[in-house]
Amino acid sequence: MGSIMMRIELKINGSTMSAEVDDDTPLLWVLRDTLKLKGTKYGCGIGQCGACTVIVDGQTARSCSLAATAAVGLEVTTIEGLSANGDQFVQKAWQDIRVPQCGYCQSGMIMAATALLGKKLFPTDEDIDREITNICRCGTYDRIRAAIHAAANGRT
Amino acid sequence: MNTDRRSLLKSIAAVSAGVVFPVTMTGCRVADPKPSDSVELFSWVVMMPDNTVRIRIPQSDIGQGVVTTLSQVLAEELDLKWSSIRPEFFDPLTNLKRNNVYVYTCTESSWSADRLFNPMRMAGAQIRQMLLTAAARRSGFDVADLRTEESSIILPGGGRQSYAEVASAASHIAPPHPSRVKLKDPADYRLIGKPIKRLDLVPKTTGKLEYGIDVDLPGMLYAVVQQSPVYGGKLVSFDEQAIAKMPGVVGVVRIAAGPCGLNGPLADGGEDYGMDDAVAVVADSFWRARKALLALPIEWDDGEFAHTSSESIMADLVSRAGRPQPVVREAGDFAGSIGRAHRVIEADYSYPFMDAMPLEPINCTAWLNSDGLQVWASTQFAQEAHRLAAVTAGLPPERVQFNLPYVGGGFGRRCQNEYVSQAVQIAKAIPGKPIKMIWTREEMMARGYPPPITISRFKAGLDEKGNVIAWFNRVISGTAPDQSYGPARLPHYVPNLRIEYARVKTPQPFGWMRGVAFTQHVWMNQGFQDELAVAAGRDPVDLYMDLLDEGSVPTDLKGRDVAIRRIRHMRAVLKRVCQIADWETPLSQGRGKGVSVSDFSYWDTYHTGTASSVVEVTLDGKGGLRVDHVYVVMNCGRILNPEVVRGQVEGSIFWAITTALYGKITLKDGRVVQRNFQDHNVARLATACRNIVVELVESDDHPAGVGEDAVPIVMTAMLNAIYDAGGPRIRSLPLSDHVLSFRKQDGSDALPGKPSGNL
């Protein structure tokens, strides 16, 4: 009710993409259903679980709780933007440590880890605990922690 | 009953050999049809012209890795080149037409390895024989002179024929009878037991893997549902006009209550709990459908549970615990022996409703058109989903195609397919368009399938030496299948014992949440045993070892060999975990450790792992708790892939920590109080234990399930550790309802026999 439909231009993974959206539509649903970037997942819709995590101007954002209109003019990176073949250094660490089980949360986890590693060369366990609040129901936390350290150490 | 081999024989007889069946699309690779010169062999594999091989996975992959482990099993006997494998999920319609050729397709009870190890090895070996026979005919050599390697036939002299070259001829050869097929010597395994990386590992790090929620079809519409907020409530009316003009709204659909399919095969205790009335708003986007649903005025009749709450249910269970209930196991003379006991200990334990909360929200896409019905859903029970979809649509099963995508977490929730019925009802109301129905997280939490709320009353007698001479346990639980195995299928044989078990009807239907009744009762049983050890001044390991006494098993017991094997396995893993956890060494003030051991033996021939855990915790005295170390030793028979098994154990550890810390769903006025993760936390990195040691026992036994075994023992060890650290005795969950300060020195706040509340 009361929302206005508008056309917006978003900068996503280095490309400019255009979408017609209601002005209150969360970025998540524009990514998934309008732009067909389905690697970003819906989990809770209230910014708790982090399955929808993307990077906006270098900072993590819960895309379920950010209106797409608010991302206009900002650089948005989704899981699809990290690499063409899964060989970005965090993705590779995730593969080496064999983190995923069902895999549903891992796009968000990898985005959160990428943002953390963008801010800190060698995040401590405490940094990880504080910065990565995403939920994994399969319980891959131990490997997520190991993969973040491995990614930091293996970065060239 | 283990009928793997026999049922496979039966299903083989039912499949006419040599027929190339039409290619079917399954959810694994919807957009990737097979070329017309691909060849299906014996329902299990499809040989592609480029010598890659599609393996049919007859289970859902919910994160437990069956796409990889079951491929390892079949590829081992078929001598496939690992890099040539392209797994795809089975097609329920094919399975139906071919009389259950895939043997076991419900993904529950950690059964994939147990039930499919023999059939898939045999299928691989039979197909290999068919290919060898075809190659022999073509080359003029004897079969005995040929061998196989890396998806090729090797001829004498070193010539090679690819499987693809002989596949077409092989498809016309009858599969050999299993009695004439020799399976590999395990010593020669090059895939089974190896830590092979998951076949879907890379796409699970790139966002490219397709789950049910990612299905995308031309012209697709979106539906969001609201079910009766009170279990058993009825829809009275809704005012469609109020939202008719909202942008993108296509319509409002009334979804009728009714049967919603079994949550497991009947023989395994499957039941249809039915579903309630619901309303769906259909729109051109999820967001618009959701907004319109929030704005839709709906009137409900709340029905018989309108005033039911967790509190009123628990009060009823407590009152029933004061009266005799049906006896499910009895030995000796409990009443007489308790009177002779040197010490009598009593306690009430309780367990709240909980929710599995897989991270991929419930969803289903359905498309009804003149060709029939197409359905896509992440489910643990695709066979039943297919049947339910056909029944709901009023179509013969052969006009319904069910596509099984990857599943973003199951944990038992997706054994129930009620959402498939809902999506098909929506598709019937708006035919000709594919419609993707997605539940919000709020809807998921409001409509979970919990383990039953339960009270467990214990009374035990100790002799002068601290031996348990009498054991009484009265359990009353809410809606559930018969789970009397929880209290009754103890591995030990106390001479005087009585177990009573009863169920009452509670509002929610039951769900097979990871760990099921073992999580409830292993904790309650061994929490109480830990109390007995403390009362007797004994080390709990010493008490467990005494209870796990082969000599105590009655000589005339039916299944005595099983009982003895259980005891031996448990003693072995318990002994080992105490070694690696350095059990004997005491911890400093404020720290404590607990121990637990169990198997998952629901009944005599249920193949199960055996596991033991030691957990160390620290209490900060201000209510703070830290889980410092978790040790698990597990014997799960033959290990198909040690890295996959380790992942399952690690996952079970965090499942146990979440269950202990936060696991609780509260009913008030028939409604679930918790709305989303802000009301129901789960373990995250900050709460996750950083020091985990998992040791897997090498074994040649038949592979056993590993998806749940570590849940009950880790939770039990963790809760016992809190007491050992000087904290309160935990007799109810979750910990977030307790104050974890240190006990008073006089013990006045820790007396056994005082049931803890907090429900």
Side-chain angles (χ1 to χ4, degrees):
Chain A
M1 292 283 196
S3 59
I4 304 161
M5 197 157 81
M6 56 197 295
R7 177 160 289 280
I8 56 170
E9 288 203 333
L10 294 169
K11 277 192 274 182
I12 296 169
N13 301 330
S15 305
T16 302
M17 298 185 181
S18 174
E20 202 158 84
V21 302
D22 292 344
D23 62 353
D24 59 354
T25 311
L27 178 61
L28 169 67
W29 298 106
V30 177
L31 292 172
R32 286 183 55 80
D33 292 343
T34 311
L35 304 174
K36 310 296 181 191
L37 294 168
K38 291 180 183 288
T40 305
K41 301 301 186 198
Y42 168 56
C44 70
I46 61 165
Q48 275 277 331
C49 78
C52 66
T53 303
V54 296
I55 299 175
V56 179
D57 274 5
Q59 303 289 325
T60 57
R62 305 285 217 237
S63 66
C64 73
S65 304
L66 176 72
T69 49
V72 171
L74 307 177
E75 297 281 349
V76 177
T77 307
T78 70
I79 185 81
E80 290 88 353
L82 294 187
S83 68
N85 304 307
D87 53 5
Q88 180 251 14
F89 77 112
V90 182
Q91 290 173 318
K92 274 166 66 181
W94 245 246
Q95 293 153 18
D96 289 343
I97 306 289
R98 308 178 191 216
V99 174
Q101 290 189 24
C102 89
Y104 193 80
C105 73
Q106 301 297 351
S107 292
M109 290 287 186
I110 289 169
M111 296 313 289
T114 298
L116 174 59
L117 288 159
K119 288 193 286 190
K120 280 213 128 178
L121 270 181
F122 295 100
T124 63
D125 282 335
E126 288 65 35
D127 295 331
I128 293 169
D129 288 350
R130 192 179 55 250
E131 296 289 325
I132 304 197
T133 55
N134 300 29
I135 290 173
C136 170
R137 288 295 283 146
C138 295
T140 62
Y141 295 119
D142 204 40
R143 289 180 191 241
I144 287 169
R145 187 186 301 281
I148 293 170
H149 290 311
N153 292 325
R155 174 157 51 182
T156 46
Chain B
M1 190 168 64
N2 180 17
T3 57
D4 290 354
R5 193 63 68 86
R6 264 172 288 143
S7 61
L8 180 70
L9 283 172
K10 269 190 232 156
S11 61
I12 286 163
V15 177
S16 60
V19 179
V20 180
F21 291 93
V23 169
T24 52
M25 294 194 300
T26 57
C28 211
R29 303 192 176 272
V30 178
D32 188 12
K34 300 167 186 72
S36 56
D37 49 353
S38 64
V39 179
E40 185 188 80
L41 290 171
F42 201 28
S43 299
W44 285 95
V45 300
V46 180
M47 294 288 171
M48 309 299 283
D50 63 357
N51 214 29
T52 58
V53 184
R54 305 262 172 107
I55 294 181
R56 302 265 164 79
I57 304 298
Q59 294 269 293
S60 305
D61 201 305
I62 56 179
Q64 85 284 41
V66 280
V67 156
T68 305
T69 52
L70 294 180
S71 292
Q72 287 176 259
V73 170
L74 187 137
E76 180 71 66
E77 292 291 343
L78 185 47
D79 271 343
L80 290 180
K81 184 175 179 176
W82 185 250
S83 62
S84 76
I85 291 169
R86 309 285 181 269
E88 61 184 18
F89 294 113
F90 80 108
D91 169 30
L93 178 56
T94 303
N95 192 41
L96 179 71
K97 284 181 179 168
R98 299 180 194 174
N99 196 19
N100 198 29
V101 65
Y102 297 123
V103 186
Y104 196 76
T105 60
C106 181
T107 309
E108 57 156 33
S109 305
S110 306
W111 254 327
S112 307
D114 171 32
R115 295 207 165 187
L116 288 157
F117 183 63
N118 286 339
M120 289 188 78
R121 279 193 304 156
M122 181 54 71
Q126 287 173 300
I127 294 167
R128 179 175 168 274
Q129 282 295 317
M130 291 157 68
L131 292 163
L132 279 170
T133 304
R137 286 180 191 170
R138 179 169 150 161
S139 64
F141 290 108
D142 280 350
V143 168
D145 295 329
L146 307 179
R147 59 189 184 86
T148 53
E149 177 186 286
E150 301 272 291
S151 302
S152 290
I153 315 272
I154 313 298
L155 307 177
R160 296 174 86 96
Q161 289 182 352
S162 75
Y163 282 179
E165 286 176 82
V166 294
S168 180
S171 72
H172 297 281
I173 291 165
H177 192 276
S179 66
R180 282 189 278 129
V181 174
K182 190 172 176 298
L183 296 174
K184 270 189 189 172
D185 183 337
D188 297 329
Y189 283 166
R190 60 193 179 89
L191 296 172
I192 293 173
K194 303 294 185 284
I196 293 169
K197 286 196 171 176
R198 290 182 188 225
L199 289 162
D200 42 32
L201 177 61
V202 173
K204 280 180 175 171
T205 64
T206 60
K208 286 183 183 146
L209 199 82
E210 277 201 7
Y211 302 86
I213 203 167
D214 300 323
V215 169
D216 196 49
L217 297 160
M220 189 168 75
L221 299 173
Y222 297 81
V224 180
V225 293
Q226 155 98 61
Q227 298 156 94
S228 167
V230 176
Y231 288 90
K234 302 265 183 291
L235 176 65
V236 177
S237 66
F238 53 83
D239 178 12
E240 187 169 355
Q241 285 313 308
I243 62 162
K245 291 202 172 65
M246 287 181 72
V249 171
V250 174
V252 183
V253 179
R254 182 182 193 118
I255 296 170
C260 61
L262 297 172
N263 61 3
L266 269 179
D268 301 335
E271 281 186 55
D272 184 338
Y273 287 100
M275 61 178 189
D276 290 339
D277 287 342
V279 179
V281 171
V282 180
D284 62 357
S285 79
F286 169 84
W287 186 247
R288 286 174 162 180
R290 180 184 171 279
K291 273 198 295 182
L293 181 65
L294 287 172
L296 179 70
I298 310 174
E299 192 188 338
W300 300 98
D301 170 358
D302 288 343
E304 64 171 311
F305 294 120
H307 304 293
T308 304
S309 65
S310 292
E311 215 173 329
S312 66
I313 293 168
M314 188 43 75
D316 176 45
L317 297 188
V318 169
S319 124
R320 287 168 194 265
R323 303 193 288 275
Q325 301 294 340
V327 175
V328 290
R329 180 173 166 187
E330 188 155 35
D333 171 21
F334 173 79
S337 61
I338 198 75
R340 294 190 301 274
H342 173 67
R343 254 190 104 170
V344 176
I345 318 287
E346 293 177 83
D348 280 3
Y349 280 64
S350 63
Y351 203 90
F353 292 119
M354 289 194 190
D355 193 358
M357 303 185 293
L359 198 56
E360 180 190 4
I362 292 291
N363 65 87
C364 178
T365 303
W367 186 4
L368 184 68
N369 57 33
S370 53
D371 296 336
L373 176 69
Q374 287 258 354
V375 180
W376 293 257
S378 301
T379 172
Q380 294 178 246
F381 198 2
Q383 198 68 49
E384 179 68 356
H386 176 263
R387 187 196 67 79
L388 178 66
V391 168
T392 308
L395 289 171
E398 54 273 17
R399 292 196 58 208
V400 177
Q401 181 70 45
F402 186 88
N403 308 282
L404 176 61
Y406 270 91
V407 183
F411 315 116
R413 171 62 182 87
R414 286 183 159 95
C415 293
Q416 194 69 59
N417 283 302
E418 87 282 22
Y419 48 91
V420 173
S421 171
Q422 293 176 346
V424 172
Q425 290 193 47
I426 298 167
K428 265 175 87 175
I430 304 177
K433 290 264 191 189
I435 302 169
K436 177 155 72 181
M437 178 196 75
I438 302 173
W439 286 20
T440 60
R441 176 61 56 184
E442 288 79 8
E443 194 62 20
M444 280 192 75
M445 220 169 261
R447 301 294 306 198
Y449 285 74
I453 192 168
T454 297
I455 184 159
S456 184
R457 172 160 292 179
F458 294 99
K459 188 171 188 178
L462 301 173
D463 68 12
E464 292 82 354
K465 292 178 188 146
N467 296 310
V468 184
I469 57 163
W471 174 273
F472 169 82
N473 185 199
R474 178 178 293 153
V475 171
I476 301 128
S477 87
T479 295
D482 182 350
Q483 296 196 313
S484 56
Y485 61 83
R489 222 177 127 64
L490 301 166
H492 39 77
Y493 294 84
V494 174
N496 305 290
L497 168 148
R498 188 159 84 225
I499 314 281
E500 300 177 2
Y501 175 77
R503 288 168 285 170
V504 299
K505 187 185 174 193
T506 44
Q508 299 106 309
F510 160 87
W512 304 106
M513 188 173 115
R514 190 178 203 175
V516 201
F518 269 89
T519 306
Q520 301 184 299
H521 292 283
V522 167
W523 163 52
M524 299 199 256
N525 295 340
Q526 287 183 3
F528 185 60
Q529 283 166 16
D530 195 65
E531 295 195 42
L532 299 184
V534 170
R538 298 178 67 182
D539 182 328
V541 173
D542 183 44
L543 183 91
Y544 292 174
M545 284 292 191
D546 260 11
L547 287 169
L548 294 169
D549 174 13
E550 283 180 40
S552 71
V553 182
T555 48
D556 59 347
L557 183 77
K558 193 165 158 276
R560 187 168 189 273
D561 55 331
V562 176
I564 286 178
R565 194 162 62 240
R566 291 182 74 194
I567 286 174
R568 286 182 184 168
H569 279 170
M570 284 196 215
R571 290 179 68 95
V573 292
L574 175 58
K575 188 175 169 204
R576 180 63 190 155
V577 82
C578 288
Q579 284 168 355
I580 66 169
D582 201 7
W583 171 259
E584 303 277 336
T585 306
L587 297 173
S588 55
Q589 177 104 29
R591 300 186 63 207
K593 48 182 144 185
V595 61
S596 176
V597 59
S598 184
D599 58 17
F600 245 63
S601 183
Y602 294 95
W603 57 80
D604 268 358
T605 54
Y606 185 88
H607 290 120
T608 168
T610 306
S612 188
S613 178
V614 168
V615 174
E616 296 175 9
V617 304
T618 298
L619 298 178
D620 67 4
K622 294 175 282 187
L625 165 75
R626 190 178 65 225
V627 181
D628 297 313
H629 279 93
V630 177
Y631 302 88
V632 173
V633 173
M634 179 186 277
N635 179 347
C636 57
R638 181 173 301 286
I639 294 163
L640 302 187
N641 184 325
E643 278 297 296
V644 170
V645 173
R646 282 177 188 283
Q648 287 299 294
V649 175
E650 291 159 14
S652 296
I653 289 168
F654 296 118
W655 192 268
I657 290 174
T658 288
T659 302
L661 288 176
Y662 309 114
K664 180 179 172 180
I665 287 290
T666 312
L667 277 190
K668 192 164 190 299
D669 296 332
R671 290 162 171 78
V672 171
V673 170
Q674 292 80 6
R675 297 273 298 146
N676 202 323
F677 289 122
Q678 89 275 29
D679 303 322
H680 190 318
N681 207 351
V682 298
R684 306 187 196 221
L685 274 153
T687 28
C689 174
R690 291 186 199 167
N691 300 295
I692 288 173
V693 179
V694 175
E695 185 173 287
L696 306 175
V697 176
E698 291 213 19
S699 165
D700 294 330
D701 290 347
H702 187 78
V706 298
E708 307 170 270
D709 300 38
V711 174
I713 52 159
V714 170
M715 187 173 88
T716 304
M718 174 180 163
L719 295 171
N720 288 349
I722 290 170
Y723 186 86
D724 188 56
R729 176 61 70 184
I730 304 300
R731 301 195 190 95
S732 69
L733 295 179
L735 288 171
S736 54
D737 284 354
H738 291 263
V739 179
L740 296 183
S741 51
F742 293 120
R743 299 189 299 276
K744 291 181 188 143
Q745 287 303 313
D746 64 2
S748 61
D749 54 352
L751 286 174
K754 192 175 91 180
S756 42
N758 292 316
L759 278 144

